[in-house]
Amino acid sequence: MPSNKSVSDAPIVQFTNCRILRNHQLQREDLWVREGKILNPEKLFFDEKGSADVQLDCKDSIIAPGFIDVQINGGFGVDFSLATDDFKSGIDLVSQKILSHGVTSFCPTLVTSPPSVYHQVLPQISVRNGGPLGAGILGAHLEGPFISKEKKGAHPEHCLRTFEAGAFQDLLATYGSLDCVQIVTLAPEMRRSSEVIQELTKRGICVSLGHSVANLSQAEEAVQHGATFITHLFNAMLPFHHRDPGIVGLLTSDKIPAGRRVFYGMISDGIHTNPAALRIAHRAHPKGLVLVTDAIAGMGLAPGRHTLGQQVVEIDGLNTYIAGTKTLSGSVATMDTCVRHFQEATGCSVETALEAASLHPAQLLGIEHKKGTLNYDSDADFLMLNDNLYVQATYIAGEEVWRQDASGM
Amino acid sequence: MKLIILENYSQASEWAAKYIRNRIVQFGPGPGRFFTLGLPTGLPRDHPESYHSFMWNNFFKHIDISPENVHILDGNAPDLQAECDAFEEKIKAAGGIELFVGGIGPDGHIAFNEPGSSLVSRTRVKTLAMDTILANARFFDGDLSKVPTMALTVGVGTVMDAREVMILITGAHKAFALYKAIEDGINHMWTVSAFQQHPNTVFVCDEDATLELKVKTVKYFKGLMLVHNKLVEPLYSMKEVGAERSQSKKPYSD
């Protein structure tokens, strides 16, 4: 069909015969894309008198926004907390491989490490758009070292630090630079955390509470100072207690400032959280649930020993422990597995499961105007999935960057 | 007039759709275009209740129509009367309207030709009657202040110039209007009645819309359904048009 576009000459692609996730529902609508963004077909029709250049039949697939993983420590043998010579190619490898899991944007995560690691690694991470070479990088997630000794989990104790001497300056000195940092996880019960949280929030960095023994009022105070996320809920924090719910209590706290929402990460790999606990959290605060993988270097590889920063971890099936212990350390789950498992365990709708991995992380990072949805003018990062939520194809900026081939690889 | 009475809303819709399809195929589209008629002013184009949005969502996006062939009166044009006059010109340039499809309001209006509209009127700006505003409030969350009060509309005369007119009337709330339109006299208070003087009119309705008609009228037309159904069976397809052209079928006359 000839097009007559007054606004742009770029080709217009119309994806037909599909169900798209829009306005929290799967709707039988076509998806229109031009110049890497989702296009409004009604405006195109009436204002530009334009029509599609290419029509693609999606064979009744589900089209959902691309997944966003805000906590991923590495994968395929690559460890983001290890300052190797080929760090850059490592991050490129991971960003390319996770396309097959449906992830179109991610936050490479660094666990507690000595300052030298941050100083070497952080300058090598740059915020960049995704494309055929891999998923987009939104910025680093620094999990530690300003966390609690009692809840260090798999983080190495000798690298833990406090900022009671110089507050924000201490933090900056430890990390070296905050230029490409998107999220910082810290324990709010630490002295002078409020100042640090305020300063980070002022710089547009998302503050997350985790690896902490904070009680509910300390957690609420942190939220009032700007914290908006909880790192892997239930794990590495005090368990819920009916007289002091701790950080978990933020899900239903009435002290959250008006207009703000607290989000919480959940690793729904079936191991980190009992399905019943996952359901409790989901039912208490469905709009705040953000699926994360917390994947480590061993993800995508055969079982055996791998590193996680300064530690050695052992992978046995889906379980990953600090070698020789029963302490969980990250996971080898992939994002699409987490979405499927979440949907099964909670019995929630397909739309809810997909939004937990796309819309909610975008809202957490304040980028939902361009990521995490299929709204007009958003970035055209999306997935084609079958009814069982297996990813069939991944698109970034309207371009196909991965496709499941016929042999099922 | 042909009065086609079907049992319910979906059957009436389906009959009408088949009829229109057959007429399109017979018409042999090529230079064929079509127009859409009544547009409330003051609504921005992408307002969900604008005719642009309505036509897009319910019709255009489902078919492969070329945008150049769509002509909707623009309620936001700087000179509304000029917009209306241009519309009339476009109709003339396209060779006149082959088939006009419309509904009626509970006050018997066709397009937005409210009671009191001249039966020879042309495309123009019309102030809407309270009845119409009330009927449309449901599209604006029941808030009367949000409903537009004026509309651009084709005139009764404009529609009378069409070679064929099809009116769809369903629901009990339209029954009185249908009665006034076909069993009473021609009256500018019930503008649809003007089509009693049109040589080629089809009224498609459901049982509920006939509630105010004489039993005699309903029985007569129901008796004609065998003949009238020949207009929708067989259902023509564009692919067969080549063969059929030589024996082109004419619509049955009254």
Side-chain angles (χ1 to χ4, degrees):
Chain A
M1 182 141 289
S3 41
N4 167 20
K5 296 153 293 205
S6 46
V7 169
S8 149
D9 277 328
I12 295 175
V13 183
Q14 178 187 4
F15 294 85
T16 65
N17 191 12
C18 52
R19 289 158 287 153
I20 70 175
L21 178 59
R22 190 174 277 160
N23 290 334
H24 316 293
Q25 296 225 305
L26 279 182
Q27 306 179 350
R28 199 155 256 299
E29 289 281 346
D30 294 343
L31 187 74
W32 295 66
V33 177
R34 174 168 68 184
E35 288 181 301
K37 300 221 188 275
I38 313 277
L39 182 64
N40 181 343
E42 190 181 332
K43 248 175 112 188
L44 174 73
F45 188 85
F46 287 121
D47 291 350
E48 294 183 50
K49 306 258 190 277
S51 45
D53 293 293
V54 178
Q55 288 183 322
L56 292 176
D57 182 341
C58 301
K59 316 243 189 316
D60 201 28
S61 305
I62 293 175
I63 297 193
F67 298 148
I68 300 174
D69 194 352
V70 301
Q71 188 172 2
I72 166 171
N73 310 289
F76 307 96
V78 175
D79 178 353
F80 296 143
S81 307
L82 223 49
T84 58
D85 290 330
D86 56 351
F87 183 85
K88 274 221 163 93
S89 50
I91 221 179
D92 289 346
L93 176 74
V94 173
S95 76
Q96 194 273 321
K97 291 279 198 185
I98 56 180
L99 292 177
S100 65
H101 306 158
V103 178
T104 52
S105 303
F106 71 108
C107 294
T109 308
L110 274 75
V111 296
T112 297
S113 304
S116 55
V117 169
Y118 295 115
H119 293 188
Q120 279 180 272
V121 167
L122 286 182
Q124 300 193 59
I125 297 179
S126 52
V127 172
R128 66 180 192 212
N129 287 328
L133 298 174
I137 296 178
L138 298 171
H141 176 169
L142 303 179
E143 189 188 5
F146 303 102
I147 55 176
S148 151
K149 198 158 60 171
E150 291 99 325
K151 288 290 175 190
K152 65 182 187 292
H155 294 228
E157 183 164 343
H158 65 279
C159 297
L160 299 183
R161 298 169 80 88
T162 71
F163 34 52
E164 52 186 41
F168 183 75
Q169 292 310 317
D170 275 356
L171 180 139
L172 194 53
T174 305
Y175 293 142
S177 149
L178 289 174
D179 283 345
C180 290
V181 174
Q182 184 65 239
I183 308 175
V184 171
T185 293
L186 49 78
E189 70 273 20
M190 298 181 76
R191 278 216 316 129
R192 304 188 74 180
S193 67
S194 306
E195 298 166 50
V196 174
I197 295 175
Q198 276 178 320
E199 190 59 44
L200 287 169
T201 308
K202 237 191 324 187
R203 289 164 184 243
I205 294 176
C206 168
V207 176
S208 184
L209 309 179
H211 287 275
S212 152
V213 293
N215 59 32
L216 181 56
S217 26
Q218 286 166 328
E220 282 167 340
E221 202 187 311
V223 170
Q224 270 148 14
H225 285 117
T228 51
F229 196 43
I230 302 173
T231 302
H232 46 55
L233 187 78
F234 295 131
N235 302 104
M237 56 185 67
L238 290 176
F240 173 86
H241 184 280
H242 48 290
R243 274 188 296 279
D244 189 355
I247 292 178
V248 179
L250 285 177
L251 265 58
T252 46
S253 162
D254 56 357
K255 303 267 193 314
I256 312 292
R260 274 226 265 134
R261 186 189 303 175
V262 170
F263 291 88
Y264 56 100
M266 296 235 63
I267 308 171
S268 69
D269 59 352
I271 293 160
H272 277 74
T273 313
N274 184 298
L278 180 59
R279 285 190 286 271
I280 288 181
H282 169 63
R283 287 179 204 177
H285 183 29
K287 289 202 195 313
L289 200 150
V290 171
L291 292 175
V292 301
T293 58
D294 201 15
I296 58 163
M299 179 266 283
L301 301 179
R305 289 190 160 220
H306 301 275
T307 64
L308 177 62
Q310 313 292 312
Q311 308 268 50
V312 178
V313 307
E314 189 137 359
I315 299 174
D316 161 29
L318 284 173
N319 300 300
T320 55
Y321 301 114
I322 297 286
T325 72
K326 278 291 172 205
T327 304
L328 285 175
S329 59
S331 83
V332 288
T334 63
M335 186 54 110
D336 57 321
T337 316
C338 288
V339 171
R340 284 191 295 274
H341 182 265
F342 171 63
Q343 200 271 317
E344 269 170 49
T346 58
C348 68
S349 65
V350 159
E351 293 93 326
T352 306
L354 294 170
E355 284 189 338
S358 57
L359 175 65
H360 294 174
Q363 287 172 329
L364 164 71
L365 298 178
I367 55 175
E368 70 176 294
H369 55 284
K370 53 179 185 151
K371 300 258 186 241
T373 70
L374 296 176
N375 294 340
Y376 302 138
D377 300 329
S378 287
D379 291 351
D381 297 349
F382 57 91
L383 313 171
M384 289 193 202
L385 306 122
N386 65 15
D387 284 344
N388 295 323
L389 300 185
Y390 279 85
V391 183
Q392 307 295 299
T394 306
Y395 286 75
I396 292 186
E399 218 187 312
E400 183 183 289
V401 296
W402 180 82
R403 175 164 285 274
Q404 168 92 290
D405 67 38
S407 65
M409 289 290 292
Chain B
M1 142 184 104
K2 298 188 216 22
L3 179 62
I4 316 284
I5 304 171
L6 281 311
E7 203 180 305
N8 56 37
Y9 176 79
S10 17
Q11 288 190 11
S13 311
E14 202 178 318
W15 197 99
K18 288 182 178 167
Y19 183 79
I20 294 173
R21 172 186 164 146
N22 273 354
R23 290 290 278 113
I24 292 177
V25 173
Q26 280 169 353
F27 178 66
R33 314 178 189 184
F34 74 94
F35 295 73
T36 327
L37 53 104
L39 179 73
T41 66
L43 282 181
R45 184 170 292 174
D46 51 10
H47 189 284
E49 295 305 334
S50 77
Y51 266 84
H52 287 93
S53 296
F54 181 85
M55 291 304 295
W56 169 258
N57 284 311
N58 290 298
F59 190 36
F60 300 142
K61 79 177 179 200
H62 301 284
I63 59 173
D64 62 350
I65 184 170
S66 183
E68 296 86 43
N69 289 339
V70 174
H71 308 271
I72 301 185
L73 283 164
D74 180 5
N76 292 312
D79 183 345
L80 293 177
Q81 193 50 51
E83 171 77 7
C84 295
D85 293 340
F87 199 72
E88 290 274 346
E89 288 305 313
K90 280 192 228 166
I91 294 176
K92 242 185 273 182
I97 300 176
E98 176 71 19
L99 170 65
F100 176 94
V101 180
I104 65 175
D107 58 2
H109 72 236
I110 177 72
F112 278 117
N113 294 288
E114 306 285 62
S117 295
S118 159
L119 297 182
V120 295
S121 50
R122 312 301 306 183
T123 305
R124 67 213 185 287
V125 184
K126 244 341 244 172
T127 319
L128 300 179
M130 183 43 94
D131 260 356
T132 305
I133 294 178
L134 287 172
N136 283 314
R138 68 185 195 271
F139 298 122
F140 296 89
D141 299 321
D143 184 350
L144 288 183
S145 63
K146 293 208 181 105
V147 185
T149 54
M150 306 226 289
L152 299 184
T153 179
V154 288
V156 183
T158 318
V159 182
M160 283 291 284
D161 284 347
R163 285 183 277 287
E164 186 173 354
V165 177
M166 171 189 256
I167 309 289
L168 297 159
I169 306 150
T170 54
H173 57 302
K174 302 285 176 81
F176 192 72
L178 179 59
Y179 151 68
K180 278 289 184 186
I182 65 179
E183 284 188 341
D184 236 6
I186 298 179
N187 189 325
H188 67 174
M189 284 301 170
W190 301 89
T191 46
V192 184
S193 61
F195 300 123
Q196 292 177 26
Q197 297 210 292
H198 190 286
N200 221 343
T201 313
V202 182
F203 284 88
V204 181
C205 61
D206 64 356
E207 294 276 357
D208 282 348
T210 62
L211 288 173
E212 294 280 355
L213 298 180
K214 285 204 165 80
V215 175
K216 186 166 83 171
T217 311
V218 175
K219 282 195 169 178
Y220 172 68
F221 284 102
K222 277 192 170 170
L224 284 173
M225 277 310 282
L226 245 110
V227 173
H228 289 154
N229 275 333
K230 294 197 184 158
L231 294 168
V232 294
E233 276 140 37
L235 208 51
Y236 298 132
S237 136
M238 286 304 295
K239 302 174 198 123
E240 302 156 2
V241 157
E244 299 269 346
R245 275 291 170 89
S246 43
Q247 352 145 13
S248 63
K249 295 188 162 44
K250 291 240 172 313
Y252 285 86
S253 58
D254 282 337

